[in-house]
């Protein structure tokens, strides 16, 4: 009996193969990001390496050393000119930290010229500093409150921790004055300048306002002097350290944020430090041109911008879809509009950024300033909405993701059973009443699906944001407890731009490479959290309207 041939079986296998290949690529990329992203935070042992005189490390003072401390990063084969016979020579890359001493934080040493001591030095200290790179040193002696404590002194550790705690209190005290009192004084002075400008223009006496301005300026000078005294007190103690070989330096205690002894850590100690490093990275502000510190302002900026973007994109997307699906008749015009919407989804994102800069900022923002903030701009010289900011970035991304919401909403409206429409009309409801009370609630899960897709694309965009409001580093968050609480005119940080800046703009690309993976991991987690929130809301709405359907 002849075996019957199944039509389309090969195509099914091909489709399954394509799906498997796509899933494998996605899983591989995620695994790579998770491995390198989390690997940044895992503490590693510090080795002591010896090199010949010709490869001795030289510091900025011209002192050479054949011995240095470092963490092995990777081994690479050297590409030599000409045809090679035998195995290629291997170079080993080490992270040496101490950029202020060496001028860089990485070094390549040929494997054949390298001797690594098998015994780990337990006295090696890894220090995170407020400025400059991390320090990888051996502490020698501490000078605190005029007293000197040798490393072998029984009180060294206690006195060192006490000096760090005192310096940390002084640092927070100075930050409170700088970011609290002085920022408030600066804002108040600007408001007074505006009042002086308006009064002078209207011919009103400004003597009292000018006196108040002078008083506030003197108060600001006093606060600045107070900050300088606090910083001087913060940096009064020193830690004498040995960097490598015979090189010794003095580190200011006030510049140290955290420290640990990596070669003394047990497995549990490394695990505790691993989670502590993650917490520090998520909650701290960036330092050293984003190559040190954390990403907290970038996480907040990304979340706030995405949430604000969802408001206009959902509103305009839904009303456009309702009009096209429920009211507009099928004609050449509606077909042209749908084609235009589909084409809009394929426009490169940088074009939307150019539109946001050219129209939203230079046209709309400048006009808003002329109408409502002309006195402020004339008195302070600073635009309010006439420059990049959170509002224009959100609107630009809303415009870019609008086609996604329109298409998904139209699909959701089309999937509402005709029985619901006919039932509503049969009960005497008008067309708008049936849309508002029956059709739109039933289509809400589909609308939220479009919003989730819009959030995923908007949160990961970088190119348009570079033109309309994102900057490299900002210490003021776009949301705080000062009215109006959400500062739409303020520039902000973004995780996507943070990755771009680390990868392409960093002065030390090797030092920034691990942080690129770490920030990418947290960008994926941020988008995942936003999407999961939308999915949970969608599921609840599905259950609610499924139970009330008739």
């Amino acid at each position: 009996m002849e075996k019957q041939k199944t039509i389309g079986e090969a195509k099914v296998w091909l489709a399954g193969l394509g799906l498997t290949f796509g899933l494998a690529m996605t899983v591989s990329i995620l695994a790579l990001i998770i491995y390198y992203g989390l690997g940044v935070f895992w503490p590693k042992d510090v080795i002591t390496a010896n090199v010949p005189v010709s490869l001795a490390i030289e510091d900025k003072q011209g002192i050479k050393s054949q011995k240095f401390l470092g963490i092995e990063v990777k081994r690479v084969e050297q590409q030599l000119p000409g045809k090679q016979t035998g195995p290629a020579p291997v170079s080993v890359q080490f992270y040496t930290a101490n950029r202020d001493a060496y001028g860089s934080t990485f070094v390549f040493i040929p494997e054949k010229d390298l001797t690594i001591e098998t015994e780990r030095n337990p006295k090696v200290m890894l220090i995170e500093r407020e400025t400059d790179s991390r320090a990888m040193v051996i502490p020698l002696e501490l000078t605190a409150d005029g007293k000197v404590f040798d490393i072998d002194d029984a009180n060294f550790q206690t006195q060192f921790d006490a000096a760090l705690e005192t310096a940390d209190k002084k640092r927070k005290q100075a930050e409170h004055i700088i970011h609290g009192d002085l920022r408030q004084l600066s804002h108040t002075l600007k408001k007074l300048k505006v009042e002086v400008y308006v009064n002078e223009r209207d011919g009103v006496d400004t003597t009292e306002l000018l006196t108040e301005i002078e008083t506030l300026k003197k108060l600001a000078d006093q606060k600045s002097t107070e900050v300088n005294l606090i910083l001087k007190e913060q940096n009064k103690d020193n830690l004498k350290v040995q960097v490598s070989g015979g090189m010794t330096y003095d580190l200011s205690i006030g510049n140290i944020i955290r420290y640990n002894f990596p070669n003394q850590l047990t497995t549990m100690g490394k695990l505790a430090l691993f989670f502590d490093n993650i917490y520090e990275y998520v909650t701290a502000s960036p330092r050293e041109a984003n190559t040190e510190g954390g990403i907290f302002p970038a996480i907040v900026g990304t979340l706030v911008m995405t949430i604000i973007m969802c408001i206009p994109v959902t509103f305009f997307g839904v009303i456009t879809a309702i009009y096209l699906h429920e009211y507009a008749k099928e004609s050449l015009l509606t077909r042209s509009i749908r084609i235009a919407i589909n084409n809009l989804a394929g426009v490169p994102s940088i074009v939307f950024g150019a539109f946001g800069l050219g129209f939203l900022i230079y046209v709309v923002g400048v006009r808003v300033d002329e109408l409502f903030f002309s006195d402020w701009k004339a008195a302070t010289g600073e635009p309010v909405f006439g420059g990049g900011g959170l509002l224009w970035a959100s609107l630009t991304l809303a415009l870019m993701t609008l086609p996604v919401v329109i298409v998904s909403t139209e699909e959701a409206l089309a999937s509402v059973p005709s029985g619901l429409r006919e039932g509503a009309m049969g009960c005497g409801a008008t067309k708008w009443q049936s849309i508002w009370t029956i059709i739109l609630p039933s289509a809400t899960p589909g609308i939220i699906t479009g919003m989730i897709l819009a959030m995923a694309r908007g949160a990961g965009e970088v190119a348009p944001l570079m033109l309309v409001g994102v900057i490299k580093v900002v210490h003021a968050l776009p949301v705080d407890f000062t009215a109006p609480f959400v500062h739409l005119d303020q520039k902000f940080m973004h995780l996507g731009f943070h990755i771009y800046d680390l990868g392409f703009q960093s002065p030390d690309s090797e030092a920034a490479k691990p942080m690129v993976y770490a920030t990418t991991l947290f960008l994926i987690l941020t988008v995942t959290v936003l999407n999961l929130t939308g999915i949970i809301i969608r599921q609840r709405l599905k259950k609610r309207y499924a139970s009330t359907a008739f």
Side-chain angles (χ1 to χ4, degrees):
M1 184 177 177
E2 187 179 352
K3 186 178 178 182
Q4 187 175 0
K5 187 177 180 181
T6 306
I7 299 174
E9 188 174 354
K11 294 179 181 177
V12 173
W13 278 103
L14 279 174
L17 185 64
L19 175 64
T20 305
F21 184 69
L23 286 175
M25 285 184 62
T26 305
V27 171
S28 301
I29 292 171
L30 287 176
L32 181 76
I33 292 171
I34 291 172
Y35 176 76
Y36 284 106
L38 292 180
V40 174
F41 305 108
W42 184 256
K44 301 174 181 66
D45 290 344
V46 176
I47 57 95
T48 304
N50 294 281
V51 294
V53 178
S54 58
L55 295 175
I57 292 183
E58 183 176 351
D59 70 357
K60 290 183 176 178
Q61 298 174 6
I63 303 174
K64 291 187 176 181
S65 174
Q66 293 178 245
K67 179 181 290 189
F68 67 89
L69 302 171
I71 297 173
E72 184 175 331
V73 179
K74 62 183 179 183
R75 293 174 180 248
V76 294
E77 290 186 351
Q78 289 180 300
Q79 301 295 324
L80 300 178
K83 188 176 180 180
Q84 296 183 28
T85 57
V90 175
S91 285
V92 185
Q93 184 187 30
F94 289 98
Y95 173 63
T96 58
N98 308 322
R99 186 169 56 215
D100 53 334
Y102 299 146
S104 65
T105 52
F106 287 87
V107 63
F108 278 94
I109 303 292
E111 189 181 34
K112 63 181 178 59
D113 298 323
L114 187 65
T115 305
I116 297 177
E117 296 181 5
T118 54
E119 188 177 352
R120 303 288 185 259
N121 188 342
K123 293 182 180 178
V124 174
M125 179 186 281
L126 190 60
I127 297 173
E128 283 189 34
R129 294 183 287 183
E130 193 170 0
T131 58
D132 297 320
S133 68
R134 297 182 183 189
M136 198 180 295
V137 298
I138 298 173
L140 298 177
E141 64 180 30
L142 169 70
T143 303
D145 295 328
K147 299 178 182 177
V148 179
F149 300 90
D150 189 77
I151 182 64
D152 297 323
D153 192 312
N155 295 322
F156 176 85
Q157 193 66 46
T158 308
Q159 293 297 325
F160 182 60
D161 289 337
L164 278 182
E165 187 177 349
T166 303
D168 188 54
K169 286 180 181 176
K170 294 297 179 184
R171 183 186 299 111
K172 289 177 179 174
Q173 194 177 348
E175 287 176 352
H176 177 74
I177 295 174
I178 293 170
H179 300 299
D181 298 345
L182 284 175
R183 181 176 294 172
Q184 184 60 40
L185 278 172
S186 174
H187 187 67
T188 307
L189 278 169
K190 287 179 182 176
K191 290 173 71 175
L192 288 173
K193 282 183 180 178
V194 175
E195 289 185 39
V196 169
Y197 171 79
V198 173
N199 287 351
E200 285 179 346
R201 184 190 61 194
D202 298 339
V204 180
D205 183 29
T206 59
T207 306
E208 189 175 341
L209 289 173
L210 290 174
T211 304
E212 190 175 354
I213 287 175
E214 288 303 317
T215 304
L216 290 179
K217 283 183 176 178
K218 289 179 181 177
L219 182 59
D221 290 339
Q222 290 175 2
K223 292 287 182 184
S224 299
T225 305
E226 188 180 349
V227 169
N228 290 333
L229 291 174
I230 292 171
L231 293 178
K232 187 177 179 181
E233 184 71 15
Q234 177 189 338
N235 295 307
K236 65 182 177 60
D237 299 330
N238 288 311
L239 178 68
K240 188 175 183 180
V241 298
Q242 182 179 354
V243 178
S244 60
M247 303 177 187
T248 58
Y249 295 89
D250 285 333
L251 298 182
S252 170
I253 294 293
N255 200 27
I256 298 175
I257 295 177
R258 297 195 306 160
Y259 77 96
N260 63 77
F261 292 96
N263 292 343
Q264 296 181 15
L265 292 174
T266 60
T267 303
M268 292 306 295
K270 287 185 177 180
L271 193 62
L273 184 57
F274 170 75
F275 287 110
D276 190 49
N277 287 338
I278 293 177
Y279 175 79
E280 180 73 14
Y281 191 66
V282 173
T283 58
S285 295
R287 305 188 302 272
E288 287 296 290
N290 286 341
T291 58
E292 300 283 346
I295 55 172
F296 181 68
I299 292 176
V300 173
T302 305
L303 284 173
V304 173
M305 183 212 67
T306 307
I307 292 170
I308 293 177
M309 178 203 75
C310 286
I311 298 171
V313 77
T314 305
F315 176 75
F316 290 110
V318 169
I319 61 173
T320 304
I322 289 175
Y323 175 77
L324 288 174
H325 189 268
E326 301 293 334
Y327 288 100
K329 295 180 180 177
E330 193 64 25
S331 63
L332 179 62
L333 178 62
T334 54
R335 285 197 295 273
S336 301
I337 291 174
R338 284 197 174 90
I339 291 171
I341 290 170
N342 292 331
N343 288 337
L344 196 64
V347 174
S349 58
I350 190 64
V351 176
F352 288 97
F355 174 80
L357 178 67
F359 179 73
L360 294 177
I361 295 178
Y362 290 161
V363 176
V364 180
V366 170
R367 295 293 178 274
V368 169
D369 279 359
E370 289 175 356
L371 288 173
F372 302 103
F373 304 101
S374 57
D375 293 338
W376 178 278
K377 188 175 180 181
T380 65
E382 298 175 359
V384 179
F385 288 100
L390 180 63
L391 176 63
W392 304 133
S394 302
L395 288 179
T396 301
L397 290 187
L399 181 63
M400 189 182 71
T401 55
L402 189 61
V404 178
V405 178
I406 293 174
V407 172
S408 62
T409 303
E410 270 205 273
E411 292 295 328
L413 292 172
S415 65
V416 176
S418 58
L420 290 178
R421 302 170 188 273
E422 293 164 2
M425 300 295 283
C427 290
T430 63
K431 188 173 182 63
W432 173 248
Q433 285 174 331
S434 63
I435 291 172
W436 183 251
T437 57
I438 302 297
I439 299 171
L440 202 54
S442 300
T444 304
I447 296 171
I448 292 178
T449 300
M451 200 172 69
I452 291 171
L453 295 173
M455 283 194 298
R457 187 181 178 192
E461 279 295 339
V462 177
L465 298 178
M466 294 165 62
L467 303 178
V468 291
V470 167
I471 56 176
K472 182 184 179 77
V473 178
V474 62
H475 294 287
L477 298 176
V479 288
D480 56 26
F481 295 104
T482 306
F485 309 114
V486 179
H487 305 283
L488 296 174
D489 59 317
Q490 188 171 307
K491 290 181 171 58
F492 62 102
M493 290 183 68
H494 184 270
L495 286 171
F497 185 78
H498 191 264
I499 295 169
Y500 164 78
D501 182 61
L502 286 171
F504 298 97
Q505 304 292 321
S506 174
D508 192 343
S509 58
E510 287 293 337
K513 195 182 294 182
M515 295 184 72
V516 170
Y517 284 108
T519 307
T520 304
L521 176 63
F522 282 102
L523 175 60
I524 292 173
L525 290 176
T526 303
V527 174
T528 304
V529 168
L530 287 170
N531 288 354
L532 283 177
T533 305
I535 290 169
I536 291 171
I537 295 172
R538 183 181 62 186
Q539 290 302 112
R540 292 189 174 182
L541 288 173
K542 269 186 178 178
K543 288 181 181 177
R544 178 179 176 183
Y545 292 112
S547 62
T548 56
F550 57 89

